[in-house]
Amino acid sequence: MKWNKEELGAYSPNDIEMSWYDFWEKSGYFHQDADKSKKPFSIVMPPPNVTGQLHMGHALDNTLQDILVRFKRMEGYNVAWIPGTDHAGIATQVKVEQQLAKEEGKTRYDIGREEFLKRVWAWKEKYGSRIEKQVRRLGSSCDWSRKRFTMDPVCARAVREVFCTLYEKGLIYQGQRITNWCPHCNTALSDIEVDHSDVQGSLWYVKYPVVGEDDYIMIATTRPETIMGDTAVAVNPEDDRMKKYVGKKVVVPLVNREVEVIADDYVDIGFGTGAVKITPAHDPNDFAMGERHHLESIMIMNLDGTMNARAGAKYDGMTREECRKAVVADLEELGLLDHIEPLTHSVGHCSRCKTIVEPFSTKQWFVKMGPLTEAAIDAVNGGKTRFIPERFSKTYNHWMENVHDWCISRQLWWGHQIPAWYCDDCGKISVSREDITECQHCHSKHIHRDPDVLDTWFSSALWPFSTMGWPEKTEDIQQFFPTSVMVTGYDIIFFWVARMMFMTCEFMKEIPFHDVFIHGLVRDSQGRKMSKSLGNGIDPLGVCEQYGADALRFTLVTGNTPGNDMRFYMERVEANRNFANKIWNASKFVIMNLKDYDPDFKPSADDLTLADRWILTSFNDTVSQVTANLDKFELGDAADEVYDFIWNSYCDWYIELAKQRLYKSDDQRSKQTVQYVLVYVLTHTLEMLHPFMPFVTEHLWQHLPHEGESIMVAPWPQPKANLEFTADAAVMNVIMEAIKGIRNMRAESNVPMGKKAPVIMVPADEGMAQTLRKYESYFHTLAFADKVTLLAPDAAKPENAVVTVVPGIEVYLQLKDLIDVEKETARVQKEQDKLQKEIDRLSKKLSNPGFLGKAPAAVVEKEKAKLADYTDKMASLSKRMEDLAKL
């Protein structure tokens, strides 16, 4: 039996939290070698980007993972929680470029690729280590000896192996395709790296003259600056208005190019005039139409978004915005602009720099998705991988079933450089797992490497197995793969979860994880997404410094239901710090009363009082419920159950009943029994709370009699059949209901705190009467009863008394001598008058047709709910006046 007998001072989380983390880490508790004799439990941490500091979403994500990991570790599983960080391609490069411009007034091109990458690696070392400190501050018990970075040698080798294998299978190819292009970041983007938002724009109606006729076809466009790249005009073949133009030639304004009018089902008859301009190089739908009709693709913009020579000498070098104004003015001067209509439409913006994205036809590397998705879809539909909540499997399937080929090349310097070399002599491509110095086809030494890098999500798609050393068959892969659960937000199901699924199914022929535990976003107290622009972000580390990591963690988990967003209230963090303080003070009380504690004493069943049997049974029930909810990923419910047991059952009821035996009893065995129960329940309850609030539970556990070196490697509590007293607990619950009834009657009647009152009870039968006689002291201790009288069921009921009924007992409280009837009557009357004014006001408002007709339905319902609440309160006050009149 171990026991730190130092006295507890006041609760101060900052004084204890990080010292315990250091103790755990130095003791090696976060690391477990692969052990085939144990059941594995593994998680790979969603790697935060090395672009800054953790936000509240990371705090939630890490808290949920740590709760599961600590729980499973205590259950005896062989646990591996692999932490890491992501190089975050564009996001990191943009940060370093901004720093370079601000501090030195230079671009990356000024210093060159090699020097620029040195700067990015320095950034990564600085901010990567800062993120590690922040993860530690939250109490995350991840295995730092296994930490990974998406560009470390182990992960880099996996990336090359996957790229080369997919290329050899024909699943990676180069193609000229329309991609989302960011003119500011100067790179292609995938669809999910583009944010769409509605903007107020215009619809320009332009006349395209028909060749050889005194006629024109009118088109409507949102992008007049791309007219110079038009290679056709299209109409719907079912549009009777337009059939006469199909096959004819029209002249593209400003460039005088003759193009054909084609028919295509894609054209929306109801949009604009029913005729649209086709610019294959600058619109994804036009590109697809161009492929179907073998149209020329003319790029009229440079990669920085400015116009090039093919747009015409006048517009060459202009920005997109400048060119639009010039083109509209020129069309108007030529008499070809018919009219302009305002139009609200969706426009894509780069998710990193917010620049308007330009669809460009460029040569890029792609992953052929069709052959890869089938196994990943089957894994979810067949139940091998389960989404929690299940509804998110539909989100996943919808994306998988409608996915396009994945553009994986990025025109950046920071990232995994594509392992492809171009031969200057034979023109062929060599793809290799190792760097090469000659062409694999003609052996020429005149080769150069593709300067592009891979999309960030390419390397993170391999995270579940690259982190464990694949393609080597490591011990970790054999023991910990597939991983047990992926904890992540619903906002990256497309970005990341789907990609991990199809990559892992392809290369491991296995699922990456058994469960995908989806959580929502952490929003501010008004329900808004936290963002820099709104200035409503809350730094989790700042909250830890003010209230402690335990309070923050408990707030995040108790406000959380799987898959749903949660609102973050600082008041709840403060309340949970108070909860930690409540546990601290309860533990302090127990420790102060252990001066003559005998660790070898074990009470018999006969030694246990009704209260002892009730708390032990309640503890068993709580352990069962908490364990079941953790297994179901209902972490918020599990935390609520621990909270309720500690605050209500243990602190507010059991400790109060224990005091009389600790302070007043001359019976040494009775005192030893209550000490045993207090310690047994408290130490194991701290173990049950440990995954949620690791720091305060470790500190208090060490100050109580215990077995083992640390709470985090203590066995998970189990219900004990020999400490289960269901019938006794049911009796105790009836007595507690009676006591609660007395407390409520006292509160409603404004009886001063601590003022004793006579209690009269009518038990339903002799068995209940005997129980009430035996445990009369509970009413004196917890219900401020100075005298308890039991009446026979057929005896006359007390007059002028308030009454409450609980199963098996009628409870009466005579108030005449406890309150000033006249004063209380005046107080209730005043409250009634005030409430009546509110009822009259709301009734008038809700009978006003003007209000009912104009107010939103939600507002009307809110007012109706208020009126119903006030009416209920008035009924209670009227009942109170009736009771007062009897006194």
Side-chain angles (χ1 to χ4, degrees):
M1 180 70 69
K2 297 183 179 180
W3 184 5
N4 179 354
K5 295 187 180 182
E6 291 177 12
E7 285 190 15
L8 287 174
Y11 174 54
S12 175
N14 278 331
D15 292 341
I16 65 166
E17 291 192 340
M18 288 317 293
S19 60
W20 282 118
Y21 194 93
D22 292 341
F23 164 72
W24 294 327
E25 193 170 358
K26 286 172 184 172
S27 300
Y29 296 142
F30 298 158
H31 175 79
Q32 292 182 7
D33 290 329
D35 183 350
K36 285 287 184 183
S37 68
K38 291 182 177 180
K39 193 173 180 180
F41 182 84
S42 57
I43 292 182
V44 287
M45 179 186 290
N49 296 343
V50 288
T51 53
Q53 63 183 34
L54 300 186
H55 53 65
M56 203 56 79
H58 291 118
L60 170 62
D61 209 69
N62 274 270
T63 295
L64 298 178
Q65 290 173 80
D66 194 45
I67 288 168
L68 294 171
V69 164
R70 287 181 184 271
F71 166 55
K72 290 298 180 182
R73 191 185 286 121
M74 294 174 78
E75 279 201 312
Y77 283 72
N78 187 197
V79 172
W81 183 14
I82 302 173
T85 47
D86 195 309
H87 66 282
I90 296 176
T92 305
Q93 178 160 316
V94 166
K95 290 274 188 184
V96 179
E97 286 189 274
Q98 288 171 346
Q99 185 183 55
L100 187 64
K102 183 178 179 182
E103 294 178 4
E104 301 177 41
K106 293 179 179 177
T107 69
R108 59 178 159 132
Y109 302 103
D110 294 327
I111 63 173
R113 185 168 189 149
E114 188 176 342
E115 177 59 28
F116 180 76
L117 289 178
K118 284 182 185 176
R119 306 286 183 97
V120 189
W121 276 107
W123 172 283
K124 180 264 171 187
E125 291 305 317
K126 178 180 178 181
Y127 289 101
S129 59
R130 184 171 86 170
I131 285 168
E132 283 183 22
K133 288 176 185 174
Q134 292 172 332
V135 171
R136 284 176 161 88
R137 184 66 187 88
L138 291 167
S140 303
S141 61
C142 44
D143 184 355
W144 294 107
S145 70
R146 285 185 167 102
K147 73 176 179 180
R148 288 281 178 239
F149 175 56
T150 47
M151 284 179 60
D152 68 20
V154 173
C155 293
R157 184 184 172 194
V159 166
R160 275 218 181 176
E161 180 64 33
V162 166
F163 184 95
C164 293
T165 302
L166 290 176
Y167 180 78
E168 289 158 3
K169 288 182 174 183
L171 296 177
I172 280 183
Y173 65 92
Q174 259 192 328
Q176 188 82 15
R177 294 287 181 87
I178 278 278
T179 55
N180 303 296
W181 185 271
C182 176
H184 178 268
C185 297
N186 252 296
T187 182
L189 305 172
S190 65
D191 289 344
I192 52 180
E193 291 171 304
V194 178
D195 295 332
H196 288 87
S197 57
D198 286 345
V199 299
Q200 187 58 50
S202 298
L203 197 57
W204 285 270
Y205 286 79
V206 183
K207 300 172 183 176
Y208 281 50
V210 178
V211 174
E213 296 181 22
D214 185 16
D215 194 8
Y216 60 83
I217 189 168
M218 183 96 75
I219 64 96
T221 180
T222 59
R223 306 203 62 203
E225 69 275 14
T226 63
I227 281 175
M228 296 79 73
D230 290 356
T231 54
V233 166
V235 299
N236 191 295
E238 301 302 317
D239 189 347
D240 292 334
R241 301 168 301 166
M242 298 293 174
K243 283 181 178 177
K244 63 181 179 179
Y245 294 111
V246 175
K248 292 183 177 180
K249 295 275 183 91
V250 293
V251 178
V252 177
L254 306 178
V255 290
N256 296 321
R257 180 184 306 118
E258 292 187 5
V259 300
E260 188 176 345
V261 179
I262 61 174
D264 195 286
D265 291 333
Y266 176 78
V267 179
D268 181 358
I269 295 174
F271 178 78
T273 64
V276 292
K277 59 192 257 349
I278 305 302
T279 321
H282 292 279
D283 182 275
N285 299 313
D286 291 6
F287 181 86
M289 214 180 298
E291 285 198 320
R292 287 196 293 275
H293 297 273
H294 310 291
L295 302 177
E296 185 184 1
S297 182
I298 304 172
M299 277 277 287
I300 60 168
M301 289 186 201
N302 301 308
L303 295 180
D304 63 359
T306 58
M307 311 308 290
N308 64 25
R310 297 200 73 180
K314 179 175 181 178
Y315 311 117
D316 190 4
M318 287 184 178
T319 65
R320 292 174 290 177
E321 294 77 14
E322 291 167 345
C323 182
R324 176 176 292 183
K325 290 178 183 177
V327 164
V328 169
D330 290 346
L331 288 171
E332 195 162 19
E333 188 176 334
L334 291 169
L336 297 176
L337 180 64
D338 190 80
H339 67 285
I340 306 170
E341 290 178 359
L343 177 73
T344 301
H345 62 126
S346 182
V347 174
H349 297 75
C350 173
S351 61
R352 296 298 175 191
C353 69
K354 308 308 175 189
T355 300
I356 292 178
V357 168
E358 188 65 46
F360 273 171
S361 174
T362 55
K363 198 172 189 179
Q364 302 289 346
W365 290 90
F366 293 87
V367 172
K368 194 178 290 183
M369 292 298 299
L372 295 174
T373 57
E374 187 176 343
I377 291 170
D378 289 346
V380 171
N381 292 344
K384 291 181 182 176
T385 293
R386 181 175 62 134
F387 275 84
I388 298 124
E390 196 277 332
R391 69 178 184 271
F392 287 104
S393 62
K394 294 174 186 171
T395 308
Y396 167 87
N397 278 333
H398 179 76
W399 187 79
M400 280 289 195
E401 289 162 1
N402 295 280
V403 70
H404 301 293
D405 284 1
W406 175 18
C407 175
I408 55 170
S409 47
R410 298 290 181 271
Q411 289 62 52
L412 305 170
W413 289 353
W414 174 241
H416 292 275
Q417 193 171 352
I418 291 172
W421 286 260
Y422 302 98
C423 181
D424 299 329
D425 291 332
C426 75
K428 292 185 178 179
I429 298 173
S430 300
V431 169
S432 173
R433 289 166 177 78
E434 306 294 335
D435 288 358
I436 59 173
T437 56
E438 65 175 40
C439 173
Q440 293 174 339
H441 306 282
C442 71
H443 304 291
S444 166
K445 303 289 186 183
H446 301 132
I447 60 172
H448 64 278
R449 188 172 182 177
D450 193 314
D452 291 352
V453 300
L454 290 165
D455 177 13
T456 300
W457 299 102
F458 190 94
S459 51
S460 53
L462 319 181
W463 195 243
F465 56 93
S466 67
T467 51
M468 295 188 193
W470 184 88
E472 297 296 326
K473 289 185 177 178
T474 63
E475 283 189 351
D476 277 3
I477 285 178
Q478 292 174 57
Q479 174 66 352
F480 296 116
F481 188 86
T483 62
S484 305
V485 58
M486 167 54 57
V487 181
T488 191
Y490 61 68
D491 53 331
I492 57 171
I493 291 174
F494 304 147
F495 281 98
W496 193 37
V497 176
R499 300 192 192 286
M500 285 188 285
M501 285 293 291
F502 67 69
M503 282 295 203
T504 308
C505 287
E506 173 67 18
F507 284 91
M508 304 299 288
K509 306 306 176 188
E510 180 59 277
I511 54 171
F513 22 71
H514 294 288
D515 292 314
V516 185
F517 178 27
I518 298 291
H519 60 76
L521 304 178
V522 183
R523 298 184 178 273
D524 71 8
S525 58
Q526 297 176 48
R528 301 174 301 175
K529 190 173 180 178
M530 292 185 183
S531 68
K532 288 180 183 176
S533 59
L534 288 174
N536 63 344
I538 299 171
D539 176 13
L541 279 299
V543 178
C544 289
E545 292 307 308
Q546 187 174 0
Y547 296 107
D550 282 332
L552 173 61
R553 288 167 62 111
F554 208 72
T555 300
L556 290 169
V557 70
T558 50
N560 185 275
T561 52
N564 294 328
D565 292 351
M566 63 170 287
R567 293 191 181 194
F568 187 86
Y569 298 91
M570 202 61 77
E571 295 83 355
R572 289 189 61 245
V573 186
E574 189 174 356
N576 286 319
R577 188 202 181 280
N578 294 341
F579 172 54
N581 194 57
K582 177 98 169 176
I583 304 163
W584 185 278
N585 288 335
S587 302
K588 198 171 181 178
F589 166 80
V590 172
I591 292 162
M592 284 167 53
N593 286 282
L594 296 181
K595 290 184 174 61
D596 53 353
Y597 176 75
D598 179 2
D600 296 321
F601 175 80
K602 294 287 185 294
S604 68
D606 292 338
D607 291 319
L608 300 172
T609 66
L610 184 69
D612 296 336
R613 292 167 180 241
W614 163 75
I615 196 69
L616 290 166
T617 304
S618 297
F619 172 75
N620 277 351
D621 291 345
T622 305
V623 170
S624 298
Q625 290 165 9
V626 169
T627 305
N629 274 316
L630 286 172
D631 284 335
K632 292 188 296 185
F633 297 100
E634 295 290 352
L635 275 56
D637 288 349
D640 287 338
E641 283 156 354
V642 183
Y643 176 96
D644 185 62
F645 177 77
I646 292 172
W647 192 290
N648 296 318
S649 301
Y650 189 78
C651 294
D652 286 358
W653 286 93
Y654 187 71
I655 283 182
E656 290 306 310
L657 288 170
K659 286 177 180 177
Q660 55 185 314
R661 293 159 72 194
L662 290 169
Y663 298 160
K664 300 174 184 176
S665 176
D666 295 328
D667 184 342
Q668 183 62 22
R669 192 166 184 86
S670 175
K671 186 175 182 181
Q672 286 180 309
T673 299
V674 77
Q675 285 177 328
Y676 170 85
V677 175
L678 282 166
V679 170
Y680 171 83
V681 174
L682 181 56
T683 52
H684 293 314
T685 300
L686 289 171
E687 289 159 6
M688 191 164 45
L689 180 63
H690 175 71
F692 306 96
M693 301 178 97
F695 297 112
V696 70
T697 51
E698 178 75 88
H699 194 83
L700 296 174
W701 189 85
Q702 295 284 357
H703 281 75
L704 287 160
H706 63 270
E707 300 288 345
E709 300 297 325
S710 169
I711 194 172
M712 74 169 283
V713 289
W716 181 252
Q718 299 293 325
K720 292 192 175 178
N722 66 321
L723 297 178
E724 183 76 31
F725 308 96
T726 307
D728 293 306
V731 171
M732 181 66 186
N733 283 327
V734 172
I735 291 174
M736 289 168 64
E737 286 302 311
I739 291 168
K740 287 177 194 173
I742 295 167
R743 287 174 172 178
N744 289 339
M745 289 189 289
R746 289 175 61 96
E748 289 169 4
S749 303
N750 279 342
V751 177
M753 283 292 293
K755 190 169 184 178
K756 299 276 186 177
V759 172
I760 300 168
M761 290 188 281
V762 183
D765 52 46
E766 183 54 31
M768 181 58 73
Q770 288 179 9
T771 300
L772 294 175
R773 288 189 198 101
K774 186 174 181 180
Y775 298 105
E776 181 182 323
S777 62
Y778 291 4
F779 290 89
H780 295 299
T781 302
L782 298 173
F784 300 104
D786 61 351
K787 182 183 178 184
V788 176
T789 304
L790 299 185
L791 298 178
D794 58 353
K797 303 298 187 287
E799 295 182 1
N800 302 331
V802 287
V803 62
T804 189
V805 179
V806 298
I809 316 171
E810 291 176 22
V811 187
Y812 294 88
L813 199 60
Q814 291 184 311
L815 301 171
K816 192 168 186 180
D817 298 326
L818 296 174
I819 61 172
D820 184 327
V821 175
E822 190 176 332
K823 190 175 179 180
E824 178 64 7
T825 302
R827 185 192 69 78
V828 175
Q829 183 64 59
K830 187 176 179 182
E831 205 171 326
Q832 277 185 315
D833 293 343
K834 184 179 175 184
L835 199 57
Q836 189 60 52
K837 286 180 182 177
E838 284 300 302
I839 290 172
D840 292 344
R841 182 184 68 79
L842 282 171
S843 297
K844 187 177 179 182
K845 190 175 186 180
L846 289 166
S847 62
N848 182 349
F851 170 73
L852 295 173
K854 294 177 183 176
V859 173
V860 174
E861 287 305 312
K862 192 176 179 182
E863 296 296 271
K864 284 181 178 177
K866 270 190 203 174
L867 179 58
D869 182 46
Y870 291 162
T871 304
D872 289 343
K873 284 180 181 176
M874 181 61 85
S876 297
L877 290 173
S878 299
K879 175 69 170 62
R880 177 81 181 119
M881 288 294 270
E882 289 175 18
D883 292 339
L884 286 168
K886 296 174 185 175
L887 300 179

